[in-house]
């Protein structure tokens, strides 16, 4: 399906089939639940922060290939970074999804593979779900009902 | 009216521009009519002709153009009332089925419900049959109780009877045909049982009126809601049918032009039915379009429409069951269900299914279908849903099955 | 945007099928645009094209057709928001202006008003700006007070200021341009005065948005209501603009699909703006049509539209004043009024006027124009009303004057 | 205006210009106010009934040519008749207006001139206004908000 190869890149399918950082941390610093209002998918993110560094992160819950692989790539990207760096990455990713800027691989890592999602407006919410959950968690320590789009 | 003729989808498709083959020979396999139907040319032409030849505001105009507009508008109402055997005075235009249910919740419920009164809904309701009652229950202190579903996607009738007998149920708000499970509920029977306990019944007929003969009088319910855009009609119009005796005793809902007999600075008097519940300029062109849709449906024959649905559903249940691991929700007997087929593939999320089969021009819906309590009861977040109508044929089902196989293969690459 | 070009009604009429001359050369002299406007081809074609090429339900569909439908639907919203300088998140589609005002009355008023709170309306309101407040006042114990009009058809601003200063006014619900008197109220000024006393302001812009540049931001009000069918758009759609901060803090109105973030059996969470206030399938094709209408209006230029209205009103005031005994209601200065011209002939009842001039293909309205409190203030039961728009020219006014003379002669036979 | 001659018959204009039974009875047996919801016109009807006979009737208020002439003709028609006869006349007139039967001049008198109104749906309410007011008065002694159509 050549039309969809841009959306479903091998790297995405790979993260979907073998998600990194899958699970739930015990005694996390931050814990967030986020729902995709479009399809009802639920995501559970746990983060451990030590000295303002994200030392560990895990994601659980069900979702489509895009939301699951995105959670996996996001976790890969932010782990080991400071909270401020993670927030900057999230903002970068959000703007990429909204087609405002071109993705920077040095910032996003594998998540650069999600750039093609920007062309599928309905799926942007799927890709953003985990990033917005983390953002809420980092800022509020609590989830919000909706991603800010 | 019985119609010997069966539906000929090939012939029917000629009336739908969007379903015509493209130059390359591809055509859209539209399997999302439970979300909204396509519109036949007759409906679009009736609306266009209204705007180009008869457009004026209705009801008060003395000049001939306004009379012509009023007649076409009221002809639409008559066609709707005839289609579902409803009293004309109780046939009220709303903007969609959702407003129709809200009208009852706000105009009847808010002024009638008392603390601890019970409104019975079901786990298989569309959000539009749940949220209005939750809002009004919160304001009145009433309680919303959900009739559970059985594992095979039917209502738990024992629970219903037990609750009717033991709780102060004032209203039963229930879907006729589920937009997710396809379940056809025995509404006439439930009405009789609810009435025996003094409860009123609202039937959400959004998924039945487009697909089968439905009689307001025959069901015997107090209110019935449905929506234009799912029954070949335009967006922007829905219908609430109510028993005139009950509507007459109700306070109005929306206030404004058209619904008054007199307005004074110290208060107002209400117009007669149905105008009392139609505030402001009504959906005029939309009534004309919906009237044309009713006539189109009647000319096909609702019995034939339903027979076609059963035929396609039978075929689809068989064809989908062949797919490895595919799980179908709802009743197995095609005679007991409507045309909405929700399913799950273990290795493909509904979103990905919808995205991938779209590549083969197959349109199916993915998500919670505005039925989150049902999703929870089924233990899933979302399903994929294929739903058929008069323009679909077995080729369309075959196309879906082929596309599902291709989707699987693609993801396994 | 300023447009040097004036409106050329002859050119404009080519876009309106209903206004084309018949084979015999006669044409419709449509002077009832205050009731509803005619629709340009561009609007009808946009809706038709939507149904024939992009029809699907919006918001949740993954497949491309549903995305296309969603885009066209949201493009309509963007066009509306741009036209009136409104925040996109606060631009809510309703079924008409009446529902828009009711939305505020029920969602804000019912949950906010307390006994003895005052809602200030005016004697020149349309029933749609009165009855919703009366209904909600009755339920909350609040009081509706009517700002009186002066003999020349302006608001009594002293009364307004005195009441704002002395009574617990929570809401001022006020018409921008009167559909009977034509009076253009100084709404930005009233907003400033009302805000100074802590009252919110809803502006009914049903008769202004179609006819002149209107800026939600510029007026500074909290809510603004208008209606599609009077501004070249279709029936079945209206608009409520609200300040997002206020809308965010409000409980929802209609409950159902689209307006939720989550629905559970024990309660529900609401979606973000504007969806929170748009329950059920929205007026999709109608948004497409209204968007096309906004673009059509912008391409003419609202300044030019307004200049044309002032030009025609000036001409009409002069021409009608020549008729023996004819009494015109409302301000005399064309710069201070809109295009609705209500009048009385001593010897001819409005109903007879409308009937008789229709014989000459002239369409005017007769009645109370959904403004009975105003009729009482004017000391009449009914008026005849001629109202102009972009497709009218001075020939149309001449046709009206000739028809009125003929009507008189006929009755004197 | 040949198209309208059917509606505005000379007899109608004559009753409009010189209404019969115009005014208000003092100490009436029955008194009814009726409004035309279409245009706000108000009609005030007073009736004196003696031994079940309508001995006097009067109508006041403003209205269009159709409603005013109709009130005049109606008064002419019913005066001197029994309540039962008047109700039968009213029903006959109502059915004529709704196009269900042909008008009978022996029943309606001058009011037969209103037959042409049936072709103008919006004006039917005008023609019926006084008749429905009288009907309400005879049956209830009180007005209703709307004519029953
Ligand atoms: C000033 C005014 N407000 C409100 C309305 C109501 O508009 P709608 O009937 O479309 O709700 C009208 C139109 O009749 C109007 O002129
Ligand atoms: C069963 C059922 N009820 C109500 C609705 C709501 O219809 P609408 O969105 O037109 O108000 C739908 C459609 O989504 C439905 O399937």
């Amino acid at each position: 399906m050549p039309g969809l190869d841009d959306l479903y890149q091998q790297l995405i399918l790979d993260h979907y089939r073998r998600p990194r950082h899958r699970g739930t941390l015990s005694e996390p610093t931050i814990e967030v639940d986020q729902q995709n209002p479009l399809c009802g998918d639920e995501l559970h993110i746990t983060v451990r922060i030590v000295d303002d560094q994200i030392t560990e992160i895990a994601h659980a819950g069900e979702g489509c290939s895009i939301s699951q692989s995105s959670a996996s790539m996001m976790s890969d990207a932010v782990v080991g970074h400071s909270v401020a760096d993670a927030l900057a990455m999230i903002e970068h990713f959000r703007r990429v999804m909204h087609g405002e800027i071109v993705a920077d691989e040095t910032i996003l890592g594998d998540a650069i593979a999600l750039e093609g999602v920007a062309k599928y407006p309905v799926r942007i919410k799927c890709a953003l779900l985990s990033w917005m959950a983390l953002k809420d968690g980092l800022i509020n320590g609590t989830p919000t009902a909706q991603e800010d789009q | 009216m019985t119609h010997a003729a069966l539906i000929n989808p090939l012939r029917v498709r000629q009336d739908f521009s969007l379903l015509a083959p493209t130059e390359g020979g591809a055509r859209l396999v539209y399997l999302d009519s439970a979300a909204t139907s396509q519109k036949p040319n007759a409906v679009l032409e009736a609306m266009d002709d209204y705007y180009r030849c008869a457009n004026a505001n209705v009801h008060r105009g003395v000049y001939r153009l306004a009379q012509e507009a009023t007649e076409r508008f009221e002809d639409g109402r008559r066609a709707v009332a005839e289609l579902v055997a409803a009293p004309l005075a109780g046939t009220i235009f709303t903007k969609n089925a959702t407003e129709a249910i809200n009208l009852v919740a706000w105009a009847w419920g808010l002024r009638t419900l008392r603390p601890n009164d019970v409104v019975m809904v079901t786990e298989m309701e569309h959000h539009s049959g749940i949220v209005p009652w939750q809002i009004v229950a919160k304001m009145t202190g009433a309680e919303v109780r959900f009739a559970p579903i059985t594992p095979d996607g039917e209502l738990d009738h024992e629970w219903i009877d037990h609750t009717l007998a033991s709780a102060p149920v004032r209203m039963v708000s229930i879907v006729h045909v589920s937009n997710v499970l396809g379940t056809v509920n025995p509404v006439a029977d439930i009405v009789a049982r609810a009435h025996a306990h003094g409860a009123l019944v609202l039937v959400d007929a959004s998924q039945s009126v487009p697909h089968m003969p439905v009689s307001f009088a025959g069901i015997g319910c107090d209110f019935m809601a449905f929506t234009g855009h799912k029954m070949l009609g335009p967006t922007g119009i829905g219908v609430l049918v109510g028993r005139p005796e009950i509507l007459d005793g109700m306070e109005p809902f929306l206030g404004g032009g058209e619904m008054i007999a007199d307005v004074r600075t110290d208060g107002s008097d209400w117009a007669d039915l149905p105008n009392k519940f139609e505030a402001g300029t009504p959906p005029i062109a939309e009534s004309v379009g919906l009237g044309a849709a009713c006539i189109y449906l009647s000319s096909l024959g609702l019995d034939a429409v339903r027979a076609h649905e059963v035929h396609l559903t039978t075929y689809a249940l068989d064809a989908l069951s062949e797919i490895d691991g595919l799980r179908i929700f709802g009743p197995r007997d095609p005679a007991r269900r409507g045309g909405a087929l929700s399913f799950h593939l273990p290795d493909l999320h509904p979103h990905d299914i919808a995205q991938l089969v779209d590549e083969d021009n197959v349109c199916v819906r993915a998500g919670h279908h505005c039925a989150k309590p049902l999703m929870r009861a089924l233990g899933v977040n979302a399903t994929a849903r294929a739903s058929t109508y008069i323009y679909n044929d077995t080729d369309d089902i075959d196309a879906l099955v082929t596309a599902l196989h291709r989707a699987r293969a693609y993801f396994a690459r």
Side-chain angles (χ1 to χ4, degrees), chain A, chain B:
Chain A
M1 301 193 183
L4 286 183
D5 290 352
D6 237 33
L7 178 64
Y8 292 122
Q9 296 194 17
Q10 278 296 353
L11 200 53
I12 292 178
L13 295 186
D14 184 56
H15 273 268
Y16 179 43
R17 282 191 289 253
R18 302 188 300 108
R20 289 49 145 180
H21 306 278
R22 179 121 184 118
T24 307
L25 303 181
S26 55
E27 296 177 40
T29 321
I30 289 169
E31 185 161 7
V32 193
D33 283 306
Q34 187 92 345
Q35 259 195 32
N36 185 342
L38 273 189
C39 62
D41 282 340
E42 278 164 34
L43 193 68
H44 182 71
I45 289 194
T46 41
V47 190
R48 189 160 305 129
I49 296 176
V50 178
D51 289 344
D52 212 43
Q53 299 281 314
I54 297 176
T55 57
E56 273 186 276
I57 181 165
H59 59 98
E62 266 181 77
C64 65
S65 59
I66 302 297
S67 75
Q68 291 289 295
S69 62
S70 185
S72 168
M73 291 163 163
M74 182 272 287
S75 303
D76 256 0
V78 300
V79 76
H81 285 273
S82 70
V83 167
D85 278 358
L87 285 171
M89 285 174 191
I90 293 168
E91 178 60 11
H92 182 81
F93 185 74
R94 193 191 64 76
R95 297 188 63 194
V96 169
M97 283 299 105
H98 289 160
E100 295 167 15
I101 52 171
V102 175
D104 182 341
E105 186 165 3
T106 62
I107 298 178
L108 297 181
D110 282 2
I112 187 133
L114 290 163
E115 196 167 16
V117 177
K119 280 188 291 176
Y120 297 84
V122 200
R123 305 304 292 280
I124 294 174
K125 269 193 198 288
C126 309
L128 279 172
L129 192 65
S130 54
W131 301 72
M132 291 301 135
L134 179 60
K135 179 180 170 186
D136 282 338
L138 295 179
I139 292 176
N140 309 316
T142 55
T144 64
Q146 297 261 306
E147 64 118 328
D148 85 4
Q149 199 177 10
Chain B
M1 249 193 312
T2 53
H3 292 256
L6 289 178
I7 302 290
N8 177 349
L10 211 69
R11 167 69 203 78
V12 166
R13 279 206 290 273
Q14 290 171 9
D15 297 332
F16 292 78
S17 311
L18 228 160
L19 303 177
T22 60
E23 284 187 17
R27 67 175 180 86
L28 196 69
V29 176
Y30 186 73
L31 291 171
D32 196 20
S33 293
T36 200
S37 74
Q38 296 303 330
K39 324 298 174 197
N41 295 332
V43 167
L44 304 183
E45 283 158 14
M47 292 197 287
D48 206 63
D49 190 72
Y50 165 77
Y51 280 127
R52 289 183 196 275
C53 305
N55 175 68
N57 212 329
V58 294
H59 288 320
R60 288 166 198 289
V62 169
Y63 53 86
R64 286 160 295 175
L65 188 69
Q67 280 184 36
E68 175 72 23
T70 305
E71 266 163 49
R72 294 197 194 191
F73 170 66
E74 291 296 342
D75 281 350
R77 193 195 306 274
R78 254 186 298 279
V80 171
E82 261 172 42
L83 188 79
V84 299
L88 200 60
T91 303
I92 296 161
F93 284 132
T94 58
K95 65 178 176 177
N96 51 28
T98 303
E99 188 200 345
I101 301 173
N102 276 275
L103 194 165
V104 179
W106 290 83
W108 175 86
L110 187 62
R111 271 81 158 231
T112 308
L113 293 170
R114 298 273 160 272
N116 305 319
D117 280 353
V118 170
V119 174
M120 187 195 291
V121 302
T122 81
E123 275 183 353
M124 66 168 85
E125 291 314 295
H126 187 278
H127 291 163
S128 296
I130 298 172
V131 184
W133 296 115
Q134 288 182 329
I135 292 176
V136 167
K138 195 172 160 198
M139 296 170 80
T140 56
E143 186 196 339
V144 179
R145 288 203 203 161
F146 287 73
I149 56 164
T150 63
D152 49 337
E154 304 268 3
L155 288 176
D156 181 340
H157 289 282
E158 268 179 44
W159 185 97
I160 291 176
D161 285 330
H162 178 258
T163 305
L164 282 172
S166 60
V169 180
R170 303 292 307 276
M171 170 63 79
V172 176
S173 185
I174 190 179
V175 77
H176 191 182
V177 174
S178 159
N179 65 320
V180 177
L181 302 172
T183 317
V184 180
N185 289 313
V187 283
D189 189 60
I190 295 172
V191 166
R193 286 142 61 197
H195 280 177
H197 287 94
L200 297 182
V201 181
L202 182 155
V203 171
D204 175 357
S206 301
Q207 297 287 350
S208 55
V209 167
H211 295 276
M212 56 187 67
V214 172
S215 161
F216 176 76
I219 293 172
C221 56
D222 305 287
F223 300 103
M224 189 163 93
F226 50 102
T227 198
H229 65 91
K230 292 190 209 278
M231 54 187 287
L232 308 179
T235 54
I237 189 165
V239 181
L240 175 72
V241 179
R243 292 203 356 239
E245 321 80 271
I246 299 182
L247 293 170
D248 267 329
M250 276 160 57
E251 288 290 306
F253 179 38
L254 305 182
E258 308 290 351
M259 54 71 75
I260 57 94
D262 192 14
V263 174
R264 298 171 310 278
T265 53
D266 63 350
S268 298
D269 306 318
W270 316 131
D272 283 342
L273 294 176
N275 303 50
K276 174 177 165 188
F277 291 102
E278 291 183 351
T281 301
I284 306 173
E286 289 79 3
S287 166
V288 172
L290 185 54
C294 291
I295 289 165
Y296 187 92
L297 277 172
S298 299
S299 74
L300 290 178
L302 266 302
D303 286 317
V305 170
R306 172 61 181 155
H308 183 65
E309 179 172 77
V310 172
H311 162 63
L312 279 187
T313 306
T314 308
Y315 187 90
L317 284 167
D318 284 348
L320 288 172
S321 310
E322 304 272 294
I323 297 178
D324 225 29
L326 187 140
R327 173 180 170 205
I328 292 174
F329 299 94
R332 280 316 159 105
D333 178 358
R336 303 190 55 182
R337 55 175 301 150
L341 266 166
S342 287
F343 58 93
H344 240 206
L345 278 177
D347 45 358
L348 270 183
H349 186 278
H351 264 183
D352 293 316
I353 292 176
Q355 189 92 57
L356 290 162
V357 303
D358 182 39
E359 210 53 25
D360 289 338
N361 283 321
V362 177
C363 304
V364 301
R365 198 137 283 241
H368 52 61
H369 314 294
C370 296
K372 292 195 80 173
L374 176 59
M375 293 294 121
R376 291 206 178 86
L378 297 173
V380 298
N381 287 334
T383 75
R385 182 187 69 187
S387 55
T388 60
Y389 207 12
I390 48 175
Y391 30 67
N392 294 119
D393 54 22
T394 54
D395 287 353
D396 294 348
I397 308 295
D398 292 341
L400 169 64
V401 171
T402 306
L404 288 172
H405 283 302
R406 273 167 48 89
R408 253 193 177 163
Y410 180 76
F411 251 46
R413 80 181 192 270

